[in-house]
Amino acid sequence: MARMVQCAKLGRLLPGLEKPPFPGELGQRIYEQVSEEAWRQWPAVQAQTAWTYTPAPSFSFQARLAYRSLADWSGLAPGVEGQDVRVGPSWVVDLSAQKWIWEQRVRGNLTVRNLNNGRDRSYIRGEAARLSLILHVSVYLNE
């Protein structure tokens, strides 16, 4: 028999989640107060697609487009009472270029994250990712 919870989002006694959706206090709180049905509603739509173009074996471009729909988690705000936990719909566009050098021992990757500078609120706490530039260098040592 499924574990029953008084769902904070839907206001009814419903079957709960099988395990916390992520570690930590907030994950435990969701496990104890949110039904499986309510959890499936957040976000209602989440989609992403990615493209890669490789004009040469040592060079490539990548693009990622992601969408998340509106979600409302009123009643589950951690911390301040009445905190807004509505997660608005968002589009995220990431572009990156990758280059291998020195006989494919060193790889450089430059990424422009959230190119459209929109709010990427993917967590109930409302954490946002703004426009950022990421430079990543990897060195591979061979024997």
Side-chain angles (χ1 to χ4, degrees), residues 41-52:
Q41 293 176 7
W42 182 82
V45 176
Q46 181 170 320
Q48 81 174 22
T49 186
W51 301 276
T52 300

Side-chain angles (χ1 to χ4, degrees), residues 60 62 95-100 106-112 133-138:
S60 65
Q62 293 87 31
L95 298 175
S96 65
Q98 177 176 281
K99 173 72 175 155
W100 286 93
V106 177
R107 179 182 68 187
N109 190 318
L110 179 64
T111 300
V112 179
L133 188 63
I134 303 163
L135 176 61
H136 182 92
V137 177
S138 302

